[in-house]
Amino acid sequence: MSSSPIRWAQAQSAGLPMQRFTGHVGAVEVGIVEYDGSNRLWTWWSPLAEEAWGHAQDADGAQRGFEVWLRGWLENFRPFFPGA
């Protein structure tokens, strides 16, 4: 998914990188990917829908999994945009 419209930015604290990424499309925050140390998995979720979440073995996999979910979820809104 190299041509993803999602721009992922790694969070930092005191100038040090954290194991957390936020995904934006334009100015809208669409997703979060964060390492869950208790389960040793990367978890993704979205502030757009409460039921949106999943896990992956690494950050890239979680980002890809999130994008698959987001594309499917957005299909529900296609009827509102004629010609899309």
Side-chain angles (χ1 to χ4, degrees):
M1 294 188 193
S2 59
S3 62
S4 174
I6 300 172
R7 180 182 45 84
W8 291 98
Q10 188 170 18
Q12 294 188 4
S13 179
L16 298 174
M18 298 175 63
Q19 293 183 316
R20 177 183 173 100
F21 296 85
T22 56
H24 290 82
V25 175
V28 179
E29 182 179 296
V30 295
I32 299 158
V33 167
E34 186 170 41
Y35 186 70
D36 176 359
S38 63
N39 291 312
R40 292 185 279 172
L41 292 171
W42 286 82
T43 302
W44 62 262
W45 70 93
S46 177
L48 302 175
E50 196 172 287
E51 74 278 359
W53 62 273
H55 299 289
Q57 294 294 320
D58 58 34
D60 289 336
Q63 290 171 1
R64 287 190 307 272
F66 170 75
E67 185 167 337
V68 168
W69 170 83
L70 182 61
R71 287 179 184 276
W73 185 73
L74 288 172
E75 280 298 315
N76 296 313
F77 299 96
R78 189 175 294 277
F80 294 101
F81 302 100

Coordinates of all heavy atoms in Angstrom, one line a residue:
M1 N 0.8 -1.2 0.0 CA 0.0 0.0 0.0 C 0.9 1.2 0.0 O 0.7 2.1 0.8 CB -0.9 0.0 1.2 CG -1.9 -1.1 1.1 SD -3.1 -1.0 2.4 CE -3.8 -2.6 2.3
S2 N 1.8 1.2 -0.9 CA 2.8 2.3 -1.0 C 2.1 3.7 -1.4 O 2.7 4.7 -1.1 CB 3.9 2.0 -1.9 OG 3.4 1.7 -3.2
S3 N 1.0 3.6 -2.0 CA 0.4 4.9 -2.4 C -0.8 5.3 -1.5 O -1.7 5.9 -1.9 CB -0.2 4.7 -3.9 OG -1.1 3.7 -3.9
S4 N -0.6 4.9 -0.2 CA -1.6 5.2 0.8 C -1.8 6.7 0.9 O -0.9 7.5 1.0 CB -1.2 4.6 2.1 OG -2.2 5.0 3.1
P5 N -3.1 7.2 1.0 CA -3.3 8.6 1.3 C -3.1 8.9 2.8 O -3.2 10.1 3.2 CB -4.8 8.7 0.9 CG -5.4 7.4 1.1 CD -4.3 6.4 0.8
I6 N -2.9 7.9 3.6 CA -2.7 8.1 5.1 C -1.2 8.5 5.3 O -0.3 7.8 4.9 CB -3.0 6.9 5.9 CG1 -4.5 6.5 5.7 CG2 -2.8 7.1 7.4 CD1 -4.9 5.2 6.3
R7 N -1.0 9.6 6.0 CA 0.3 10.0 6.4 C 0.5 9.6 7.9 O -0.2 10.1 8.8 CB 0.5 11.5 6.3 CG 1.8 12.1 6.7 CD 1.9 13.6 6.5 NE 0.8 14.3 7.1 CZ 0.6 14.6 8.4 NH1 1.5 14.3 9.2 NH2 -0.4 15.3 8.8
W8 N 1.5 8.7 8.1 CA 1.7 8.2 9.5 C 2.9 9.0 10.1 O 3.9 9.2 9.5 CB 2.1 6.7 9.5 CG 0.9 5.9 9.1 CD1 0.7 5.4 7.9 CD2 -0.1 5.5 9.9 NE1 -0.5 4.6 7.9 CE2 -1.0 4.7 9.2 CE3 -0.5 5.7 11.3 CZ2 -2.2 4.1 9.7 CZ3 -1.6 5.1 11.8 CH2 -2.4 4.3 11.0
A9 N 2.7 9.5 11.3 CA 3.7 10.2 12.0 C 4.0 9.5 13.4 O 3.0 9.2 14.1 CB 3.3 11.7 12.3
Q10 N 5.3 9.3 13.7 CA 5.6 8.7 14.9 C 5.6 9.7 16.1 O 6.1 10.8 15.9 CB 7.0 8.1 14.8 CG 7.4 7.2 16.0 CD 8.6 6.4 15.8 OE1 9.4 6.7 14.9 NE2 8.8 5.4 16.6
A11 N 5.0 9.3 17.2 CA 4.9 10.2 18.3 C 6.2 10.3 19.0 O 7.1 9.4 18.9 CB 3.8 9.7 19.3
Q12 N 6.5 11.4 19.7 CA 7.7 11.6 20.4 C 7.4 12.2 21.8 O 6.4 12.9 22.0 CB 8.6 12.6 19.7 CG 9.1 12.1 18.3 CD 10.2 13.0 17.8 OE1 10.6 14.0 18.4 NE2 10.7 12.7 16.6
S13 N 8.3 11.9 22.7 CA 8.2 12.5 24.0 C 9.6 12.9 24.4 O 10.5 12.1 24.4 CB 7.7 11.4 25.0 OG 7.6 12.0 26.3
A14 N 9.8 14.2 24.8 CA 11.1 14.7 25.1 C 12.1 14.5 24.0 O 13.3 14.2 24.3 CB 11.6 14.2 26.5
G15 N 11.6 14.5 22.8 CA 12.5 14.3 21.6 C 12.8 12.8 21.3 O 13.6 12.6 20.4
L16 N 12.3 11.9 22.1 CA 12.6 10.5 21.9 C 11.4 9.8 21.2 O 10.2 10.1 21.6 CB 12.8 9.8 23.2 CG 14.1 10.3 24.0 CD1 14.1 9.6 25.3 CD2 15.3 10.0 23.2
P17 N 11.6 9.0 20.2 CA 10.5 8.3 19.5 C 9.8 7.4 20.4 O 10.4 6.6 21.2 CB 11.2 7.6 18.3 CG 12.6 7.5 18.7 CD 12.9 8.6 19.7
M18 N 8.5 7.3 20.3 CA 7.6 6.4 21.0 C 7.1 5.3 20.1 O 7.2 5.5 18.9 CB 6.4 7.2 21.7 CG 6.9 8.2 22.6 SD 5.5 9.2 23.2 CE 4.5 8.0 24.1
Q19 N 6.6 4.3 20.7 CA 6.1 3.2 19.9 C 4.6 3.4 19.6 O 3.7 2.7 20.0 CB 6.3 1.8 20.6 CG 7.7 1.5 20.6 CD 8.0 0.1 21.2 OE1 7.4 -0.2 22.2 NE2 8.8 -0.7 20.6
R20 N 4.3 4.6 19.0 CA 3.0 5.0 18.7 C 3.0 5.9 17.4 O 3.9 6.7 17.3 CB 2.4 5.8 19.9 CG 1.0 6.4 19.6 CD 0.6 7.2 20.8 NE -0.6 7.9 20.6 CZ -1.8 7.5 21.0 NH1 -1.9 6.5 21.7 NH2 -2.9 8.2 20.8
F21 N 2.1 5.6 16.5 CA 2.0 6.4 15.3 C 0.5 6.9 15.2 O -0.4 6.2 15.5 CB 2.3 5.5 14.1 CG 3.7 5.0 14.1 CD1 4.0 3.8 14.7 CD2 4.6 5.6 13.3 CE1 5.3 3.3 14.7 CE2 5.9 5.1 13.3 CZ 6.3 4.0 14.0
T22 N 0.4 8.1 14.6 CA -1.0 8.6 14.3 C -1.0 8.8 12.8 O -0.1 9.2 12.2 CB -1.3 9.9 15.0 OG1 -0.3 10.9 14.7 CG2 -1.3 9.8 16.5
G23 N -2.2 8.4 12.3 CA -2.4 8.5 10.8 C -3.4 9.6 10.5 O -4.4 9.7 11.2
H24 N -3.0 10.4 9.6 CA -3.8 11.6 9.2 C -4.1 11.5 7.7 O -3.2 11.1 6.9 CB -3.1 12.9 9.5 CG -3.0 13.2 10.9 ND1 -2.0 12.6 11.7 CD2 -3.8 13.9 11.7 CE1 -2.2 13.1 12.9 NE2 -3.3 13.9 13.0
V25 N -5.3 11.9 7.3 CA -5.6 12.2 5.9 C -6.0 13.7 5.9 O -7.0 14.1 6.5 CB -6.8 11.3 5.4 CG1 -7.2 11.7 4.0 CG2 -6.4 9.9 5.4
G26 N -5.1 14.5 5.3 CA -5.2 15.9 5.4 C -5.1 16.3 6.9 O -4.2 15.9 7.6
A27 N -6.0 17.1 7.4 CA -6.0 17.5 8.8 C -6.7 16.6 9.7 O -6.7 16.8 11.0 CB -6.6 18.9 8.9
V28 N -7.3 15.5 9.2 CA -8.2 14.6 10.0 C -7.4 13.4 10.5 O -6.8 12.7 9.7 CB -9.4 14.1 9.2 CG1 -10.2 13.1 10.0 CG2 -10.2 15.3 8.7
E29 N -7.4 13.2 11.8 CA -6.7 12.0 12.4 C -7.7 10.9 12.2 O -8.8 10.9 12.7 CB -6.5 12.2 13.9 CG -5.8 11.0 14.5 CD -5.5 11.2 16.0 OE1 -4.7 12.2 16.3 OE2 -6.0 10.5 16.8
V30 N -7.2 9.9 11.5 CA -8.1 8.7 11.1 C -7.7 7.5 11.9 O -8.6 6.6 12.0 CB -8.1 8.5 9.6 CG1 -8.7 9.6 8.9 CG2 -6.7 8.2 9.1
G31 N -6.5 7.3 12.3 CA -6.1 6.1 13.0 C -4.9 6.2 13.9 O -4.1 7.2 13.8
I32 N -4.8 5.2 14.8 CA -3.7 5.2 15.7 C -3.1 3.8 15.7 O -3.9 2.8 15.7 CB -4.1 5.6 17.1 CG1 -4.7 7.0 17.1 CG2 -3.0 5.4 18.2 CD1 -5.6 7.3 18.2
V33 N -1.8 3.6 15.7 CA -1.1 2.3 15.8 C -0.2 2.5 17.0 O 0.6 3.4 17.1 CB -0.3 2.0 14.6 CG1 0.6 0.9 14.8 CG2 -1.3 1.7 13.4
E34 N -0.3 1.5 18.0 CA 0.5 1.6 19.2 C 0.9 0.2 19.6 O 0.2 -0.7 19.5 CB -0.3 2.3 20.3 CG 0.5 2.6 21.5 CD -0.3 3.5 22.5 OE1 -1.5 3.3 22.6 OE2 0.3 4.4 23.0
Y35 N 2.2 0.1 20.2 CA 2.6 -1.2 20.7 C 2.0 -1.5 22.0 O 2.0 -0.7 22.9 CB 4.2 -1.2 20.8 CG 4.7 -2.5 21.2 CD1 4.7 -3.6 20.3 CD2 5.2 -2.8 22.4 CE1 5.2 -4.8 20.6 CE2 5.7 -4.0 22.8 CZ 5.7 -5.0 21.9 OH 6.2 -6.3 22.2
D36 N 1.5 -2.7 22.1 CA 0.9 -3.2 23.3 C 1.8 -4.2 24.0 O 1.9 -5.3 23.6 CB -0.5 -3.9 23.0 CG -1.1 -4.5 24.2 OD1 -0.6 -4.4 25.3 OD2 -2.2 -5.0 24.1
G37 N 2.6 -3.7 24.9 CA 3.7 -4.6 25.5 C 3.1 -5.8 26.3 O 3.8 -6.8 26.3
S38 N 1.9 -5.7 26.8 CA 1.4 -6.8 27.6 C 1.1 -8.0 26.6 O 1.2 -9.2 27.0 CB 0.2 -6.4 28.4 OG -0.9 -6.0 27.6
N39 N 0.7 -7.7 25.4 CA 0.3 -8.7 24.4 C 1.4 -8.9 23.4 O 1.4 -9.8 22.6 CB -1.0 -8.4 23.7 CG -2.2 -8.5 24.7 OD1 -2.3 -9.5 25.4 ND2 -3.0 -7.5 24.7
R40 N 2.4 -8.0 23.4 CA 3.5 -8.0 22.5 C 3.0 -8.0 21.0 O 3.5 -8.7 20.2 CB 4.5 -9.2 22.7 CG 5.2 -9.1 24.0 CD 6.2 -10.1 24.2 NE 5.5 -11.3 24.7 CZ 6.0 -12.5 24.9 NH1 7.2 -12.7 24.6 NH2 5.3 -13.5 25.4
L41 N 2.0 -7.2 20.8 CA 1.4 -7.0 19.5 C 1.3 -5.5 19.2 O 1.2 -4.7 20.2 CB 0.1 -7.6 19.4 CG 0.1 -9.2 19.4 CD1 -1.4 -9.6 19.5 CD2 0.7 -9.7 18.1
W42 N 1.2 -5.1 18.0 CA 0.8 -3.7 17.6 C -0.7 -3.7 17.4 O -1.3 -4.5 16.8 CB 1.6 -3.3 16.3 CG 3.0 -3.1 16.6 CD1 4.0 -4.0 16.6 CD2 3.6 -1.8 16.8 NE1 5.2 -3.4 16.9 CE2 5.0 -2.1 17.0 CE3 3.2 -0.5 16.9 CZ2 5.9 -1.0 17.3 CZ3 4.1 0.5 17.1 CH2 5.4 0.2 17.3
T43 N -1.3 -2.7 18.1 CA -2.8 -2.5 18.0 C -3.1 -1.3 17.2 O -2.4 -0.3 17.3 CB -3.3 -2.4 19.5 OG1 -2.9 -3.5 20.2 CG2 -4.8 -2.2 19.5
W44 N -4.1 -1.4 16.4 CA -4.6 -0.3 15.6 C -6.0 0.0 16.0 O -6.8 -0.9 16.4 CB -4.4 -0.4 14.1 CG -5.2 -1.6 13.5 CD1 -4.7 -2.8 13.2 CD2 -6.6 -1.6 13.1 NE1 -5.7 -3.6 12.6 CE2 -6.9 -2.8 12.6 CE3 -7.6 -0.6 13.2 CZ2 -8.1 -3.2 12.1 CZ3 -8.9 -1.0 12.7 CH2 -9.1 -2.2 12.2
W45 N -6.4 1.3 16.0 CA -7.8 1.6 16.2 C -8.0 3.0 15.6 O -7.1 3.7 15.1 CB -8.2 1.6 17.7 CG -7.6 2.7 18.5 CD1 -8.1 3.9 18.8 CD2 -6.3 2.7 19.2 NE1 -7.3 4.6 19.6 CE2 -6.2 3.9 19.9 CE3 -5.3 1.7 19.3 CZ2 -5.1 4.2 20.7 CZ3 -4.2 2.0 20.0 CH2 -4.1 3.2 20.7
S46 N -9.3 3.4 15.5 CA -9.7 4.6 14.9 C -10.6 5.4 15.8 O -11.5 4.9 16.4 CB -10.4 4.3 13.6 OG -10.8 5.6 13.0
P47 N -10.4 6.8 15.8 CA -11.4 7.6 16.5 C -12.7 7.8 15.7 O -13.6 8.4 16.2 CB -10.6 8.9 16.7 CG -9.6 8.9 15.6 CD -9.3 7.5 15.3
L48 N -12.7 7.3 14.5 CA -13.9 7.4 13.6 C -15.0 6.4 14.0 O -16.2 6.7 13.7 CB -13.5 7.3 12.2 CG -12.4 8.2 11.6 CD1 -12.0 7.8 10.2 CD2 -12.9 9.6 11.7
A49 N -14.6 5.3 14.5 CA -15.6 4.3 14.8 C -15.2 3.4 16.0 O -14.1 2.9 16.0 CB -15.8 3.3 13.6
E50 N -16.0 3.3 17.0 CA -15.7 2.6 18.2 C -15.3 1.2 18.0 O -14.5 0.6 18.7 CB -16.9 2.8 19.2 CG -16.6 2.4 20.6 CD -17.7 2.8 21.5 OE1 -18.0 4.0 21.7 OE2 -18.4 1.8 22.0
E51 N -16.0 0.5 17.0 CA -15.7 -0.9 16.8 C -14.5 -1.2 16.0 O -14.2 -2.3 15.7 CB -16.9 -1.6 16.2 CG -17.1 -1.2 14.7 CD -17.8 0.1 14.4 OE1 -18.2 0.8 15.4 OE2 -18.0 0.4 13.3
A52 N -13.7 -0.2 15.6 CA -12.6 -0.4 14.7 C -11.3 -0.6 15.6 O -10.8 0.3 16.3 CB -12.4 0.9 13.9
W53 N -10.8 -1.8 15.5 CA -9.5 -2.1 16.1 C -9.0 -3.5 15.6 O -9.8 -4.3 15.0 CB -9.7 -2.2 17.6 CG -10.6 -3.2 18.1 CD1 -11.9 -3.1 18.3 CD2 -10.3 -4.6 18.5 NE1 -12.5 -4.3 18.7 CE2 -11.4 -5.2 18.9 CE3 -9.1 -5.3 18.5 CZ2 -11.5 -6.5 19.3 CZ3 -9.1 -6.6 18.9 CH2 -10.3 -7.2 19.3
G54 N -7.7 -3.7 15.8 CA -7.1 -4.9 15.3 C -5.7 -5.0 15.8 O -5.2 -4.1 16.4
H55 N -5.0 -6.1 15.5 CA -3.7 -6.4 16.0 C -2.8 -6.8 14.8 O -3.3 -7.4 13.9 CB -3.6 -7.5 17.1 CG -4.4 -7.1 18.3 ND1 -4.0 -6.2 19.2 CD2 -5.5 -7.6 18.8 CE1 -4.9 -6.1 20.2 NE2 -5.8 -7.0 19.9
A56 N -1.5 -6.7 15.0 CA -0.6 -7.2 14.0 C 0.8 -7.4 14.7 O 1.0 -6.9 15.8 CB -0.4 -6.2 12.8
Q57 N 1.7 -8.1 14.0 CA 3.0 -8.5 14.6 C 3.9 -7.3 14.6 O 4.8 -7.2 15.4 CB 3.6 -9.6 13.8 CG 2.8 -10.9 14.0 CD 2.9 -11.5 15.4 OE1 3.9 -11.4 16.1 NE2 1.8 -12.0 15.9
D58 N 3.7 -6.3 13.7 CA 4.6 -5.2 13.6 C 3.8 -3.9 13.2 O 2.7 -4.0 12.9 CB 5.8 -5.4 12.6 CG 5.3 -5.8 11.2 OD1 4.3 -5.2 10.8 OD2 6.0 -6.5 10.5
A59 N 4.5 -2.8 13.3 CA 3.8 -1.5 13.1 C 3.3 -1.4 11.6 O 2.2 -0.9 11.4 CB 4.7 -0.3 13.4
D60 N 4.1 -1.8 10.7 CA 3.7 -1.8 9.3 C 2.5 -2.6 9.0 O 1.6 -2.2 8.3 CB 4.9 -2.2 8.3 CG 6.0 -1.2 8.3 OD1 5.8 0.0 8.5 OD2 7.1 -1.7 8.0
G61 N 2.5 -3.8 9.6 CA 1.3 -4.7 9.4 C 0.0 -4.1 10.1 O -1.0 -4.2 9.5
A62 N 0.2 -3.4 11.2 CA -1.0 -2.7 11.8 C -1.4 -1.6 11.0 O -2.6 -1.4 10.8 CB -0.6 -2.3 13.2
Q63 N -0.5 -0.8 10.4 CA -0.9 0.3 9.5 C -1.6 -0.2 8.3 O -2.7 0.3 7.9 CB 0.3 1.1 9.1 CG 0.9 1.9 10.3 CD 2.2 2.5 10.0 OE1 2.8 2.4 8.9 NE2 2.8 3.2 11.0
R64 N -1.1 -1.3 7.7 CA -1.8 -1.9 6.5 C -3.2 -2.5 6.9 O -4.2 -2.3 6.2 CB -1.0 -3.0 5.9 CG 0.3 -2.5 5.2 CD 1.0 -3.5 4.3 NE 1.3 -4.7 5.1 CZ 2.5 -4.9 5.8 NH1 3.4 -3.9 5.8 NH2 2.7 -6.0 6.5
G65 N -3.3 -3.1 8.1 CA -4.6 -3.7 8.5 C -5.6 -2.5 8.7 O -6.7 -2.7 8.4
F66 N -5.1 -1.4 9.3 CA -6.0 -0.3 9.5 C -6.5 0.2 8.2 O -7.7 0.5 8.1 CB -5.3 0.8 10.3 CG -6.1 2.1 10.3 CD1 -7.2 2.1 11.1 CD2 -5.8 3.1 9.5 CE1 -8.0 3.3 11.1 CE2 -6.6 4.2 9.5 CZ -7.7 4.3 10.3
E67 N -5.6 0.4 7.2 CA -6.0 0.9 5.9 C -7.1 0.0 5.3 O -8.0 0.5 4.7 CB -4.8 1.1 5.0 CG -5.3 1.8 3.7 CD -4.2 2.4 2.9 OE1 -3.1 2.6 3.4 OE2 -4.4 2.5 1.7
V68 N -6.9 -1.3 5.4 CA -7.9 -2.2 4.8 C -9.2 -2.0 5.5 O -10.3 -1.9 4.8 CB -7.5 -3.7 5.0 CG1 -8.6 -4.6 4.7 CG2 -6.3 -4.0 4.1
W69 N -9.2 -1.8 6.8 CA -10.5 -1.6 7.5 C -11.1 -0.2 7.0 O -12.3 -0.1 6.7 CB -10.3 -1.5 9.0 CG -11.5 -1.0 9.7 CD1 -12.6 -1.7 10.0 CD2 -11.8 0.3 10.0 NE1 -13.6 -0.9 10.5 CE2 -13.1 0.4 10.6 CE3 -11.1 1.5 9.9 CZ2 -13.7 1.6 11.0 CZ3 -11.7 2.7 10.4 CH2 -13.0 2.7 10.9
L70 N -10.3 0.8 7.0 CA -10.7 2.2 6.6 C -11.3 2.2 5.2 O -12.4 2.8 5.0 CB -9.6 3.2 6.7 CG -10.0 4.6 6.4 CD1 -11.0 5.1 7.4 CD2 -8.7 5.5 6.5
R71 N -10.7 1.5 4.3 CA -11.2 1.5 2.9 C -12.6 0.8 2.9 O -13.5 1.3 2.2 CB -10.3 0.8 2.0 CG -9.1 1.6 1.6 CD -8.1 0.9 0.7 NE -6.9 1.6 0.4 CZ -6.8 2.6 -0.5 NH1 -7.8 2.9 -1.2 NH2 -5.6 3.2 -0.6
G72 N -12.8 -0.3 3.6 CA -14.1 -0.9 3.7 C -15.1 -0.1 4.4 O -16.3 0.0 3.9
W73 N -14.7 0.6 5.4 CA -15.7 1.4 6.2 C -16.1 2.6 5.4 O -17.3 2.9 5.4 CB -15.0 1.9 7.5 CG -15.8 2.6 8.4 CD1 -16.8 2.1 9.2 CD2 -15.8 4.0 8.7 NE1 -17.4 3.2 10.0 CE2 -16.8 4.3 9.6 CE3 -15.0 5.1 8.2 CZ2 -17.0 5.6 10.1 CZ3 -15.2 6.3 8.6 CH2 -16.2 6.6 9.6
L74 N -15.2 3.2 4.6 CA -15.6 4.3 3.8 C -16.5 4.0 2.6 O -17.3 4.8 2.2 CB -14.3 5.0 3.2 CG -13.5 5.8 4.3 CD1 -12.2 6.2 3.7 CD2 -14.3 6.9 4.8
E75 N -16.5 2.7 2.2 CA -17.4 2.3 1.1 C -18.9 2.5 1.5 O -19.7 2.7 0.7 CB -17.2 0.8 0.8 CG -16.0 0.5 -0.1 CD -16.2 1.2 -1.5 OE1 -17.3 1.1 -2.1 OE2 -15.2 1.8 -1.9
N76 N -19.2 2.4 2.8 CA -20.5 2.7 3.3 C -21.0 4.1 2.9 O -22.2 4.3 2.9 CB -20.6 2.5 4.8 CG -20.3 1.1 5.2 OD1 -20.9 0.1 4.6 ND2 -19.5 0.9 6.2
F77 N -20.1 5.0 2.7 CA -20.5 6.4 2.5 C -20.5 6.8 1.0 O -20.8 7.9 0.6 CB -19.5 7.3 3.2 CG -19.6 7.1 4.7 CD1 -18.6 6.3 5.3 CD2 -20.6 7.7 5.5 CE1 -18.7 6.1 6.7 CE2 -20.6 7.5 6.8 CZ -19.7 6.7 7.4
R78 N -20.1 5.8 0.1 CA -20.0 6.1 -1.3 C -21.3 6.7 -1.9 O -21.3 7.6 -2.7 CB -19.6 4.9 -2.1 CG -19.3 5.2 -3.5 CD -18.8 3.9 -4.3 NE -17.5 3.5 -3.8 CZ -16.3 4.0 -4.2 NH1 -16.3 5.0 -5.1 NH2 -15.2 3.5 -3.8
P79 N -22.5 6.2 -1.5 CA -23.8 6.7 -2.0 C -24.0 8.2 -1.8 O -24.7 8.9 -2.5 CB -24.9 5.9 -1.3 CG -24.2 4.7 -0.9 CD -22.8 5.1 -0.6
F80 N -23.3 8.8 -0.8 CA -23.4 10.2 -0.5 C -22.6 11.1 -1.5 O -22.7 12.3 -1.5 CB -23.0 10.5 0.9 CG -23.9 9.9 1.9 CD1 -23.6 8.7 2.6 CD2 -25.1 10.5 2.2 CE1 -24.4 8.2 3.5 CE2 -26.0 10.0 3.2 CZ -25.6 8.8 3.8
F81 N -21.7 10.5 -2.3 CA -20.8 11.2 -3.1 C -21.0 10.8 -4.6 O -20.3 9.9 -5.1 CB -19.4 11.0 -2.7 CG -19.1 11.4 -1.3 CD1 -19.1 10.5 -0.3 CD2 -19.0 12.7 -1.0 CE1 -18.8 10.8 1.0 CE2 -18.7 13.1 0.3 CZ -18.7 12.2 1.3
P82 N -22.0 11.4 -5.3 CA -22.3 11.0 -6.7 C -21.0 11.1 -7.5 O -20.3 12.1 -7.4 CB -23.4 11.9 -7.1 CG -23.9 12.5 -5.9 CD -22.9 12.4 -4.8
G83 N -20.8 10.2 -8.4 CA -19.6 10.2 -9.3 C -18.4 9.7 -8.7 O -17.3 9.7 -9.3
A84 N -18.4 9.3 -7.4 CA -17.2 8.8 -6.7 C -17.0 7.4 -7.0 O -17.9 6.6 -7.1 CB -17.3 9.1 -5.2

